[in-house]
Amino acid sequence: MRTQVAIIGAGPAGLLLGQLLGKAGIDNIIVEQRSPDYVLGRIRAGILECGTVQALERAGAAARLHDEGLPHEGIELSWHGRRHRIDLHALTGRKVTVYGQTEVTRDLMAAREALGARTIYEADGVSLHGFDGERPLVRYRKDGSTHEIACDYIAGCDGFHGVSRQSVPPASMRQFERVYPFGWLGVLSDTPPLADELVYASHERGFALCSMRSRTRSRYYVQVPSSERVEDWSDERFWNELRSRLDPQAAASLQTGPALEKSIAPLRSFVCEPLRFGRLFLAGDAAHIVPPTGAKGLNLAAGDVASLSDALTARYRDNDPAALDTYSETRLRRIWKAERFSWWMTSLLHRFADADGFSSRIQQAELEELVGSEAACRALAENYVGQPL
Ligand code: APR
Ligand code: PHB
């Protein structure tokens, strides 16, 4: 087989890149190790910045998002028994859209099918070859035989544990990482959301977040130590813990129900530099991870692939390689901005078991600053809503 761009991974990053390239007339094949159902079974954050919405529009995959997505103009901070609203729209002129990442993936899969582009699901033993030269090659096994895709470029969109980044000689890259000593225990339930907007709670017992997928489906999280096991959390224990971390008014209005899904996700910050190795480009979680506190993961991935598709389009249409040459540097600036914000919001709102008295007082002073200063709120709001494309 031959294609112009071989894309590794059919998560949101790979699917969106495939769609943007397809729309620009650039042939591509996606190679994914799992099945479509497995990919759709993963539940992740659902806050879309306006730039991500723009990218999905360009990809021709935004119709349902415009129908069903919920525009949000603010978020709330629950702290010391009270709620404080941060008016994102008044502070920045922009909004975010609440729309589940599973739905984004579903829409992109449907758009790809409509475009008639090739996706190879359940590809085993995917390996990358020759990307340091002129003729990259992707090899995989399926149905008992080995297949090869010859291509001009490879896009590594295969997430944090993928093969793309691991195919690069370690001496050619630097990795930066922070692993937090806690995770988020998340529950999805068919109950009405706690409030009209997301509630981020900072409490002595730990962080909690009340989010949503629709007007009838909610997503809640509580911070738990990394050692915690999901089997030890009955629905009742989860709801009690969540309620105990909310202000009295929020606690009283929480509607509980059976958990449709319950899982623990570790929190990590990670960046790999650079993002380009010859004819291999990394994008999305393959290149960087943020803790979910700032809801930046999907948005950063969308920014990466929008920029990569523009760069590949310039290369093919105008034979101009300049944007491919600056892809890594340009994106890394944005990535570190989002890394800083996600790290800061995580540090601000979570309980750190090893925090001494000084650190705890500084954290409280910073929350005080946030609820009392419009300038501090604006800085948060600008980062939270993100930039247009
Ligand atoms: N070969 C082929 N495919 C692979 C391989 C491999 N060796 N390893 C992983 N994959 C696939 C995974 O099965 C997954 O479907 O790559 C895909 C990567 O998808 P995500 O992990 O979702 O990563 P990305 O698309 O960058 O996601 C960006 O969406 O899922 C969230 O947390 C993520 O918020 C981030 C955003
Ligand atoms: C979610 O809805 O899953 C969600 C929302 C906001 C976040 C993280 C996760 O910051």
Side-chain angles (χ1 to χ4, degrees):
M1 268 183 288
R2 150 126 212 117
T3 189
Q4 290 175 297
V5 182
I7 300 172
I8 318 296
L15 286 166
L16 179 57
L17 177 63
Q19 201 58 21
L20 293 171
L21 291 176
K23 290 267 169 190
I26 299 170
D27 189 60
N28 63 87
I29 300 179
I30 299 183
V31 184
E32 162 64 52
Q33 68 178 3
R34 304 287 189 172
S35 67
D37 282 347
Y38 183 96
V39 172
L40 284 172
R42 288 190 289 241
I43 303 194
R44 268 113 170 229
I47 306 295
L48 311 186
E49 295 175 7
C50 59
T52 304
V53 173
Q54 285 176 306
L56 289 163
E57 284 166 353
R58 268 169 47 183
R64 204 159 62 92
L65 155 68
H66 285 311
D67 272 357
E68 298 174 20
L70 307 172
H72 277 205
E73 298 194 352
I75 56 171
E76 294 197 283
L77 212 61
S78 170
W79 179 57
H80 276 179
R82 283 188 51 206
R83 264 186 284 165
H84 310 264
R85 181 165 190 265
I86 299 182
D87 192 330
L88 301 172
H89 189 250
L91 291 163
T92 67
R94 294 196 287 278
K95 308 173 190 179
V96 292
T97 305
V98 172
Y99 189 67
Q101 202 172 119
T102 312
E103 304 312 312
V104 171
T105 309
R106 202 187 299 283
D107 295 347
L108 285 166
M109 282 177 171
R112 185 163 181 86
E113 204 169 318
L115 215 59
R118 289 174 285 180
T119 312
I120 294 141
Y121 282 102
E122 299 178 277
D124 282 331
V126 175
S127 57
L128 283 56
H129 308 271
F131 52 81
D132 49 350
E134 297 290 304
R135 296 159 164 226
L137 197 73
V138 174
R139 200 171 284 146
Y140 64 93
R141 283 191 307 278
K142 190 171 163 85
D143 303 329
S145 46
T146 299
H147 305 263
E148 284 186 351
I149 305 172
C151 56
D152 302 332
Y153 298 100
I154 302 176
C157 302
D158 47 353
F160 183 64
H161 300 287
V163 66
S164 300
R165 192 181 68 252
Q166 290 168 27
S167 306
V168 175
S172 309
M173 81 168 73
R174 289 189 70 188
Q175 305 195 12
F176 303 84
E177 184 170 50
R178 176 125 325 165
V179 179
Y180 302 86
F182 42 74
W184 280 14
L185 168 63
V187 156
L188 188 70
S189 66
D190 272 335
T191 51
L194 175 85
D196 292 338
E197 296 177 336
L198 269 61
V199 178
Y200 289 83
S202 167
H203 189 272
E204 271 161 44
R205 296 184 63 85
F207 169 77
L209 170 61
C210 307
S211 181
M212 65 192 75
R213 290 292 174 271
S214 69
R215 290 199 173 79
T216 56
R217 182 168 281 194
S218 301
R219 180 72 167 159
Y220 294 103
Y221 300 95
V222 294
Q223 169 191 356
V224 293
S226 303
S227 53
E228 212 68 23
R229 294 176 339 145
V230 72
E231 300 78 53
D232 296 332
W233 285 84
S234 64
D235 289 3
E236 195 192 357
R237 183 176 173 205
F238 177 85
W239 293 120
N240 287 338
E241 187 58 44
L242 174 63
R243 202 180 284 111
S244 76
R245 298 183 186 189
L246 301 175
D247 54 276
Q249 197 208 347
S253 55
L254 178 69
Q255 293 196 41
T256 64
L260 304 175
E261 193 262 1
K262 198 189 285 156
S263 54
I264 296 182
L267 264 68
R268 181 193 303 272
S269 297
F270 171 84
V271 181
C272 142
E273 293 184 357
L275 305 178
R276 176 187 186 167
F277 307 91
R279 287 173 173 259
L280 167 65
F281 294 84
L282 300 181
D285 279 15
H288 44 74
I289 297 286
V290 284
T293 325
K296 290 286 158 225
L298 173 63
N299 295 298
L300 265 189
D304 288 351
V305 299
S307 158
L308 185 55
S309 84
D310 284 350
L312 286 165
T313 305
R315 165 69 189 78
Y316 280 112
R317 200 175 45 203
D318 311 320
N319 198 23
D320 178 1
L324 277 183
D325 291 342
T326 53
Y327 167 76
S328 179
E329 197 189 320
T330 313
R331 284 310 299 166
L332 279 167
R333 267 202 300 276
R334 275 290 182 95
I335 290 162
W336 277 111
K337 201 168 143 65
E339 289 285 345
R340 185 209 66 83
F341 175 64
S342 307
W343 162 84
W344 172 77
M345 216 163 142
T346 303
S347 313
L348 177 73
L349 298 173
H350 290 73
R351 271 309 103 164
F352 288 76
D354 60 351
D356 57 9
F358 184 84
S359 317
S360 305
R361 288 290 193 281
I362 291 289
Q363 192 185 44
Q364 295 301 305
E366 197 152 17
L367 279 160
E368 198 85 59
E369 166 99 358
L370 194 60
V371 301
S373 150
E374 187 182 296
C377 287
R378 177 169 289 117
L380 184 152
E382 278 175 2
N383 280 284
Y384 194 88
V385 299
Q387 301 285 323
L389 276 188

